[in-house]
Amino acid sequence: RKEVEQDPGPFNVPEGATVAFNCTYSNSASQSFFWYRQDCRKEPKLLMSVYSSGNEDGRFTAQLNRASQYISLLIRDSKLSDSATYLCVVNIAGNTGFQKLVFGTGTRLLVSP
Amino acid sequence: DGGITQSPKYLFRKEGQNVTLSCEQNLNHDAMYWYRQDPGQGLRLIYYSQIVNDFQKGDIAEGYSVSREKKESFPLTVTSAQKNPTAFYLCASSRVGDSSNQPQHFGDGTRLSIL
């Protein structure tokens, strides 16, 4: 079983749609979680950290379910510019102040006019 | 602006040749990392360093070497022992604090190909 698993997609949605991605992780000791966005042939960029209570940043909402070991990302009112690959990332190093990140292979989102 | 600079953007390696990828950051981050990304795969950790003059092997260190003589710099050498070096190489850095929730910030990558 992969340490971090994501549906590769692609998810094809029209502009204005709401779309949700899920991600599961296998290491129950994982302490911190992130969503990164990666455009084609570019570097990953941090989209948002994921907190236990859930958190929102504009049109983006992230949720964490520690009991079921999954993380979700919800995008509301999709824009053409949201088209990218979304990487689920888990820190398996524990609460040491240092990071050992494990990256999912990403979920590809295509938003069409 | 603060950030991470990788160079070159594209690099070609001849068989039997060692090549070095540069990574410099001015974010005053203690930790630096090297990853490689292959098509359809997640990023995989090659080497990391938490502090100057110290570094650790990641998951796929064979065929690679690094040094950390300065806080700002973490160059990666792809040696001739790495038989499948064609990939997108990404350097990252992060703070090392009292919380593990410190995000990593990435340079814009180096694409390495075999001639």
Side-chain angles (χ1 to χ4, degrees), chain A residues 31-34 36 38 41-44 46 49-51 87 91 94-101 103-105, chain B residues 31 33 35 37 40-43 45 48 50 59 88 90 96-97 99-104 106-108 111:
Chain A
Q31 290 289 328
S32 53
F33 310 88
F34 308 90
Y36 278 75
Q38 186 172 26
R41 299 179 68 81
K42 299 283 190 181
E43 76 276 19
L46 178 68
S49 301
V50 185
Y51 302 115
L87 308 179
N91 177 21
N95 200 21
T96 61
F98 178 68
Q99 294 193 341
K100 174 89 165 41
L101 297 187
F103 288 76
T105 54
Chain B
Y33 314 78
Y35 296 89
Q37 188 176 33
Q41 295 194 35
L43 277 69
L45 183 64
Y48 61 98
Q50 296 186 66
D59 300 317
F88 187 36
L90 289 156
V96 178
S99 164
S100 62
N101 206 28
Q102 304 283 351
Q104 290 185 13
F106 286 85
D108 57 5
R111 291 195 178 274

Side-chain angles (χ1 to χ4, degrees), chain B residues 49-84:
Chain B
S49 167
Q50 296 186 66
I51 197 167
V52 175
N53 292 322
D54 184 56
F55 48 84
Q56 307 295 330
K57 291 182 179 180
D59 300 317
I60 54 165
E62 187 174 348
Y64 300 97
S65 66
V66 293
S67 63
R68 186 89 187 274
E69 296 175 3
K70 298 187 299 182
K71 186 176 185 177
E72 302 79 17
S73 178
F74 191 40
L76 173 75
T77 296
V78 184
T79 74
S80 57
Q82 172 48 247
K83 298 306 179 189
N84 185 23

